[in-house]
Amino acid sequence: MNSQVGAAQAGAPAVEPVRGSRGRVKTGIVMLNLGGPSTLDAVEPFLLELFADREIIQLPFQRWLGPFIVRRRAPKVRKLYAQIGGGSPILRYTEAQGRGMIERLDRLSPGTAPHGFYVAFRYVQPRSEDALQAMRADGVERAVAFTQYPQFSCATTGSSLNELWRAVDRLKLRDAFVWSILDRWPIHDGFIDAVAETVREGLQGFSPEDRDKVVLLFSAHSLPMRFVNRGDPYPPEIGASVEQVMKRLGYSHPHLLAYQSKVGPVEWLKPGTGWVIEQLATRDHKHVLVIPIAFTSDHIETLSEIDREYSDLAARLGITHFRRAPALNERPAFLDALAGLVRAHLSSGEAHSAAYPLRCAGCVNPACRAIVNPVTAPVGQSQRGA
Amino acid sequence: MNSQVGAAQAGAPAVEPVRGSRGRVKTGIVMLNLGGPSTLDAVEPFLLELFADREIIQLPFQRWLGPFIVRRRAPKVRKLYAQIGGGSPILRYTEAQGRGMIERLDRLSPGTAPHGFYVAFRYVQPRSEDALQAMRADGVERAVAFTQYPQFSCATTGSSLNELWRAVDRLKLRDAFVWSILDRWPIHDGFIDAVAETVREGLQGFSPEDRDKVVLLFSAHSLPMRFVNRGDPYPPEIGASVEQVMKRLGYSHPHLLAYQSKVGPVEWLKPGTGWVIEQLATRDHKHVLVIPIAFTSDHIETLSEIDREYSDLAARLGITHFRRAPALNERPAFLDALAGLVRAHLSSGEAHSAAYPLRCAGCVNPACRAIVNPVTAPVGQSQRGA
């Protein structure tokens, strides 16, 4: 059994083992992410899981209303996935990122080698259980829960970590591995370098005489104001990423930040990306480069929402040159960043970031900020964990 | 006439001229800030000016309702100023910052010397007119409008710049000086260094055995959601400052960001600083260090709101160790930062930041982002100014 077990279970194409052998792994890196449906048949189950996550969505009569909403939404969402090739590419990219990361880690950090990666998606296979079982089979000793969201939110990394710890308990693996977590990296140098590289590539898509006219529109997934108002660290960490990328680019162009992908009737963080595009058009901007800043690989929000929906909107409104910076995906600079992050984390001996134990000011979830069997003193022994 | 002219008009204590002589100034640095009432008698006029600024506050029947609200609020605000020594220290600190800045600039940038500084407050004397008249008297050729707000908001720097350009027109000085603007500096290295220094000093106020337990609570002035929702750059730039300070501190402690000083019935950016303090108390945090991140000198929001109101609140709720990091004020590291910012700006030849010409996505103010007589091609000649 190796790190690909979850993928195989999900019916995704088998991928060659990352290491030459299926031998023992010393350090297992759990790559936490949302996940997405690999096939059209997986769309409805994916949405059902998402709408059942009470750490993110709270509905009255959720067990009935959640599936009701999903059944109404699923055909539309399935159509969007059909338009981008029949499924989400997130597993493929995550596996490529994992392979690139551990190849580098085995070279850079022989003391913690051999390394293995284990994908743990939140709402589709491979899930936390899949990752944990593969890790046990591979003989992992030291485990790192590595969020693939650069900026921390309780709606993303928070939910994934809580689910991981619940899965550890369900599988009775509380003492199986020594854990630490890499819970946020909004201005990590390697990450910022890689994003800046995508922006430069995106700018190359404009003709040289137009390049100076481009407006850089950073777009992050939005968040319900309920999270923002209780102090979720996501908005300031997004702002930090954006500013740092602009600094890395020498502030070469004007830039804006907007938030995309709002769903449902509640208030979300604004301004919305679509609305901002409309406003830019009314002021006769003709050249816009959208930069996804909160996700690290292509997904429905880049391939469909930006590349199709917003692109069509921009064209209709007279924005003649509308482009998107490529996602990080398998970019070597990003693989370097992932390996660099883990390497620095392992050599630091830290169990988590300083910020992690501090729950959101208005946290209403007692499960938050747990960590089982951490590499250093458990959270809760000091006031930091309060 | 010298740079102190405005202060003298406002009845503030006379300050010695900054340079040995009252000679010609080549480069004039206009220090833009909110300002505050220097005496208790100045409180009501200050509030009247603030409530008359339609770029910030829009009330129905503003000419009548504004003064009505001010007359009701003034006694309470006057009492707060009485408690902090009878007035705002902002003029005193701004002058000290100006002196320190131009002393350094004369040394660092002899090619643009002699330098002079000119205070332009938004709602009290010395105002834009005072600064402009002093500049003309001093024979200034090159003028830099230098915001003293590190993070850009239309409610602060935006309003100050618009008022400055209106004053230029009122005084018929459109061709008097060649202008550029230093409109934001949220992660300037020197600024971040200086803030990090204040945090370290603040931490020294806790006993060594408690120091590890401290929660760092960054507090910025809040902003009505009306601004946030139309894309004001303030929230992401605040987030950028906070993250960068934490990086400079080696992420030594857990941190949070909150927003203070909300007034009136409309929705403002949350979480509120007072509310966050309450939440920290309910989770038994006993050690809190508040760090002002959006203003550069002490003012009513530090000396009264944090040091008195929030400090009392914290004590009542059982936060036994509640302290505030000192404001930047006359700190040499901050004077170095101010001089470094202007020096780099002057040598860049830039008229403004790349971001400046791009109005907020939902900007409703046609006056925004003007710049008279800029050192390089006027905004509006390229699409950037659209």
Side-chain angles (χ1 to χ4, degrees), chain A residues 138-370:
Chain A
D138 288 355
V140 165
E141 300 160 27
R142 178 76 171 78
V144 179
F146 182 14
T147 183
Q148 298 303 298
Y149 304 99
Q151 305 88 8
F152 189 96
S153 170
C154 291
T156 55
T157 300
S159 170
S160 276
L161 285 170
N162 289 344
E163 174 61 15
L164 179 64
W165 309 139
R166 285 191 296 265
V168 165
D169 275 342
R170 285 194 295 266
L171 295 178
K172 303 196 182 355
L173 290 177
R174 222 161 222 281
D175 301 315
F177 319 110
V178 177
W179 283 98
S180 64
I181 55 178
L182 234 172
D183 50 88
R184 71 197 70 201
W185 31 285
I187 58 169
H188 176 260
D189 279 337
F191 165 60
I192 297 299
D193 283 340
V195 177
E197 194 177 274
T198 69
V199 178
R200 283 190 211 99
E201 282 184 22
L203 286 167
Q204 290 300 315
F206 295 83
S207 67
E209 61 274 21
D210 284 344
R211 216 163 281 152
D212 271 357
K213 303 172 191 162
V214 176
V215 171
L216 304 181
L217 174 55
F218 288 86
S219 187
H221 201 292
S222 190
L223 188 69
M225 287 305 289
R226 188 176 78 246
F227 288 83
V228 176
N229 291 344
R230 68 186 178 219
D232 194 284
Y234 181 79
E237 293 189 8
I238 290 284
S241 297
V242 169
E243 189 71 27
Q244 203 62 32
V245 171
M246 288 311 303
K247 185 176 186 181
R248 197 64 47 98
L249 293 167
Y251 295 100
S252 62
H253 290 74
H255 73 281
L256 288 171
L257 168 62
Y259 293 95
Q260 68 181 86
S261 317
K262 167 190 186 321
V263 287
V266 300
E267 274 295 306
W268 290 61
L269 190 54
K270 292 179 188 165
T273 304
W275 181 81
V276 167
I277 290 166
E278 291 170 18
Q279 302 305 313
L280 289 172
T282 65
R283 281 205 286 283
D284 283 335
H285 288 280
K286 302 288 184 203
H287 305 81
V288 174
L289 179 66
V290 181
I291 303 144
I293 191 65
F295 283 160
T296 56
S297 50
D298 272 315
H299 53 303
I300 191 94
E301 286 85 357
T302 53
L303 300 171
S304 174
E305 194 172 8
I306 298 175
D307 293 353
R308 298 177 65 95
E309 185 183 335
Y310 295 149
S311 180
D312 289 352
L313 174 72
R316 271 204 312 281
L317 297 174
I319 297 177
T320 48
H321 299 76
F322 181 90
R323 307 187 71 89
R324 176 173 65 84
L328 294 170
N329 293 344
E330 304 169 64
R331 175 174 301 271
F334 182 56
L335 305 182
D336 291 343
L338 292 173
L341 270 158
V342 175
R343 183 199 186 191
H345 172 75
L346 287 170
S347 68
S348 75
E350 284 184 354
H352 48 69
S353 75
Y356 176 69
L358 199 63
R359 291 157 61 189
C360 298
C363 182
V364 289
N365 184 355
C368 274
R369 307 300 190 267

Side-chain angles (χ1 to χ4, degrees), chain A residues 184 186-189 212-216 225 228-232 235-244 246-248 250-257 259 267-272 275-276 279-280 282-287 350 354-363 383-386, chain B residues 184 186-189 212-216 225 228-232 235-244 246-248 250-257 259 267-272 275-276 279-280 282-287 350 354-363 383-386:
Chain A
R184 71 197 70 201
I187 58 169
H188 176 260
D189 279 337
D212 271 357
K213 303 172 191 162
V214 176
V215 171
L216 304 181
M225 287 305 289
V228 176
N229 291 344
R230 68 186 178 219
D232 194 284
E237 293 189 8
I238 290 284
S241 297
V242 169
E243 189 71 27
Q244 203 62 32
M246 288 311 303
K247 185 176 186 181
R248 197 64 47 98
Y251 295 100
S252 62
H253 290 74
H255 73 281
L256 288 171
L257 168 62
Y259 293 95
E267 274 295 306
W268 290 61
L269 190 54
K270 292 179 188 165
W275 181 81
V276 167
Q279 302 305 313
L280 289 172
T282 65
R283 281 205 286 283
D284 283 335
H285 288 280
K286 302 288 184 203
H287 305 81
E350 284 184 354
Y356 176 69
L358 199 63
R359 291 157 61 189
C360 298
C363 182
Q383 198 187 18
R384 280 202 191 169
Chain B
R184 71 197 70 201
I187 58 168
H188 176 262
D189 278 337
D212 272 358
K213 303 171 191 163
V214 176
V215 171
L216 304 181
M225 288 305 290
V228 176
N229 291 344
R230 69 185 177 219
D232 193 284
E237 293 190 8
I238 289 284
S241 297
V242 169
E243 189 72 27
Q244 204 61 32
M246 289 310 304
K247 186 176 187 182
R248 195 64 48 97
Y251 296 99
S252 62
H253 290 74
H255 73 282
L256 289 171
L257 168 62
Y259 293 96
E267 275 295 305
W268 289 61
L269 189 54
K270 293 179 188 167
W275 181 81
V276 167
Q279 303 305 312
L280 289 171
T282 65
R283 281 204 287 282
D284 284 335
H285 288 281
K286 303 289 183 200
H287 305 81
E350 284 184 354
Y356 177 69
L358 197 64
R359 290 157 62 191
C360 298
C363 183
Q383 197 188 17
R384 279 204 192 168

Side-chain angles (χ1 to χ4, degrees), chain B residues 195-343:
Chain B
V195 177
E197 194 176 274
T198 70
V199 178
R200 284 190 212 99
E201 282 185 21
L203 286 166
Q204 290 300 315
F206 295 83
S207 66
E209 62 274 21
D210 284 343
R211 217 164 281 151
D212 272 358
K213 303 171 191 163
V214 176
V215 171
L216 304 181
L217 174 55
F218 288 86
S219 185
H221 201 292
S222 190
L223 187 70
M225 288 305 290
R226 188 176 78 246
F227 288 82
V228 176
N229 291 344
R230 69 185 177 219
D232 193 284
Y234 181 80
E237 293 190 8
I238 289 284
S241 297
V242 169
E243 189 72 27
Q244 204 61 32
V245 171
M246 289 310 304
K247 186 176 187 182
R248 195 64 48 97
L249 294 167
Y251 296 99
S252 62
H253 290 74
H255 73 282
L256 289 171
L257 168 62
Y259 293 96
Q260 67 179 87
S261 318
K262 166 191 187 323
V263 287
V266 301
E267 275 295 305
W268 289 61
L269 189 54
K270 293 179 188 167
T273 304
W275 181 81
V276 167
I277 290 167
E278 290 170 17
Q279 303 305 312
L280 289 171
T282 65
R283 281 204 287 282
D284 284 335
H285 288 281
K286 303 289 183 200
H287 305 81
V288 174
L289 179 67
V290 181
I291 302 143
I293 190 67
F295 283 160
T296 56
S297 49
D298 273 314
H299 53 303
I300 191 94
E301 287 83 357
T302 54
L303 300 172
S304 174
E305 194 173 8
I306 298 175
D307 293 353
R308 300 177 63 94
E309 184 185 335
Y310 295 150
S311 178
D312 289 353
L313 174 72
R316 271 202 313 281
L317 298 174
I319 297 177
T320 48
H321 299 75
F322 180 91
R323 307 187 72 91
R324 174 173 66 84
L328 294 169
N329 293 343
E330 304 169 64
R331 177 175 300 271
F334 182 56
L335 305 182
D336 291 343
L338 292 172
L341 270 157
V342 175
R343 185 198 184 190

